[in-house]
């Protein structure tokens, strides 16, 4: 279970916010039992299913730690990699760190070629507009100094947060790093849900959050706030 793997990290973990996105599989009951055993775990139950972006937005509003990292529940990403992902921030070298699946540091499960191709296309298109040389914008493991990510009001849907965060953070003066991580992909038979429509929406979001959102009142306010914070 992912919570047990996170708790093994000991004092490195100060808070775990679990968002139950209106599931029907008994997840909430299992997490609730663990809340009673460890005060670092917080459970939030959403009244209706809103997808990954809404779940992450809910969690970010409750984050209190100096460093915030996103963790999916399906263990495609190993919590053992978290110390390496946040290390550049702890050393004072970075403000944002992405764990890249394409700079693999360990065994990686061979998975769908079309997923790989789509990821490369989305990352390449994003890089064209952000002028960053990233290798994996769709990765789950994104770690941030709290004052870089918490002020961002996520407005996308589904898996759009991956693009939205990358586009807007790239407009700030935040120092962005990548580190290699291991990756154990699931198959569709094992419950993987991302599909063609998600890829099409990602292309739309890349255009919107790079060409329009940074020039909106909310986008300008976010960029200005982060830049002022980082300049202190």
């Amino acid at each position: 279970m992912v919570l047990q793997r996170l708790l093994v990290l000991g004092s490195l973990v100060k808070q775990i916010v679990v968002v139950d996105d209106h599931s029907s599989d008994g997840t909430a009951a299992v997490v609730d039992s663990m809340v009673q055993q460890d005060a670092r775990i917080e459970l939030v139950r959403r009244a209706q299913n809103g997808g990954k972006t809404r779940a992450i937005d809910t969690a970010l509003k409750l984050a209190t730690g100096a460093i915030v990292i996103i963790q999916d529940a399906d263990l495609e990403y190993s919590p053992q990699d978290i110390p390496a992902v946040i290390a550049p921030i702890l050393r004072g070298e970075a403000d944002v760190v992405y764990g890249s699946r394409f700079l693999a540091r360990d065994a990686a499960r061979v998975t769908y070629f079309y997923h790989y191709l789509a990821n490369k296309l989305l990352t390449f298109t994003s890089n064209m507009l952000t002028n960053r040389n990233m290798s994996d914008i769709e990765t789950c493991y994104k770690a941030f100094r709290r004052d870089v990510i918490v002020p961002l009001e996520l407005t996308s849907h589904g898996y759009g947060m991956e693009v939205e965060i990358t586009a807007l953070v790239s407009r700030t003066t935040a120092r962005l790093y990548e580190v290699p991580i291991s990756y154990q992909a699931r198959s569709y038979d094992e419950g993987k849900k991302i599909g063609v429509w998600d890829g099409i929406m990602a292309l739309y979001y890349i255009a919107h959050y790079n060409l329009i959102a940074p020039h909106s009142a909310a986008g300008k306010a976010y960029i200005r706030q982060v830049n002022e914070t980082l300049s202190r």
Side-chain angles (χ1 to χ4, degrees):
M1 185 179 182
V2 66
L3 287 178
Q4 294 168 333
R5 300 273 294 274
L6 288 169
L7 292 173
V8 166
L9 298 177
S11 61
L12 198 64
V13 176
K14 307 295 184 184
Q15 177 194 33
I16 303 174
V17 179
V18 180
V19 179
D20 178 71
D21 197 26
H22 199 63
S23 68
S24 57
D25 60 1
T27 296
V30 174
V31 175
D32 196 44
S33 67
M34 296 194 69
V35 169
Q36 312 306 316
Q37 303 171 31
D38 198 308
R40 291 174 294 175
I41 304 173
E42 301 177 30
L43 172 63
V44 181
R45 300 180 184 179
R46 288 182 50 82
Q48 60 183 15
N49 184 278
K52 182 174 180 177
T53 297
R54 298 275 63 79
I56 295 300
D57 189 55
T58 298
L60 290 176
K61 287 178 169 58
L62 297 172
T64 59
I67 298 175
V68 177
I69 187 167
I70 298 168
Q71 170 74 58
D72 286 349
D74 57 16
L75 285 177
E76 285 188 323
Y77 298 83
S78 171
Q80 290 181 329
D81 284 330
I82 288 178
V85 175
I86 67 173
I89 301 178
L90 290 173
R91 292 195 300 264
E93 298 171 354
D95 304 300
V96 178
V97 181
Y98 281 31
S100 173
R101 293 166 290 181
F102 302 117
L103 302 174
R105 63 188 290 266
D106 201 348
R109 180 175 176 178
V110 174
T111 184
Y112 303 106
F113 171 72
Y114 291 119
H115 280 186
Y116 168 83
L117 194 62
N119 197 314
K120 285 297 185 182
L121 171 63
L122 294 175
T123 296
F124 176 80
T125 307
S126 173
N127 286 346
M128 289 282 290
L129 296 176
T130 61
N131 195 28
R132 303 294 181 108
N133 64 336
M134 301 187 67
S135 64
D136 189 8
I137 69 165
E138 295 287 334
T139 180
C140 158
Y141 271 166
K142 296 176 172 69
F144 313 85
R145 282 180 46 176
R146 182 180 182 277
D147 44 18
V148 170
I149 188 61
V150 170
L152 181 58
E153 293 285 342
L154 296 176
T155 59
S156 57
H157 298 280
Y159 296 96
M161 52 154 286
E162 317 290 7
V163 169
E164 181 177 3
I165 290 173
T166 302
L168 289 167
V169 165
S170 293
R171 289 290 182 132
T172 73
T173 57
R175 298 164 298 172
L176 203 161
Y177 275 53
E178 284 187 315
V179 299
I181 58 170
S182 53
Y183 181 59
Q184 301 298 324
R186 291 187 302 165
S187 67
Y188 284 107
D189 290 340
E190 295 167 320
K192 198 169 189 69
K193 296 181 175 62
I194 196 164
V196 174
W197 180 248
D198 297 301
I200 294 171
M201 287 303 300
L203 287 172
Y204 162 76
Y205 284 138
I206 287 173
H208 176 78
Y209 286 106
N210 280 284
L211 301 177
I212 298 175
H215 306 290
S216 67
K220 290 178 179 178
Y222 166 73
I223 294 166
R224 182 172 59 252
Q225 180 178 345
V226 171
N227 287 347
E228 288 175 353
T229 298
L230 295 177
S231 67
R232 292 170 190 163

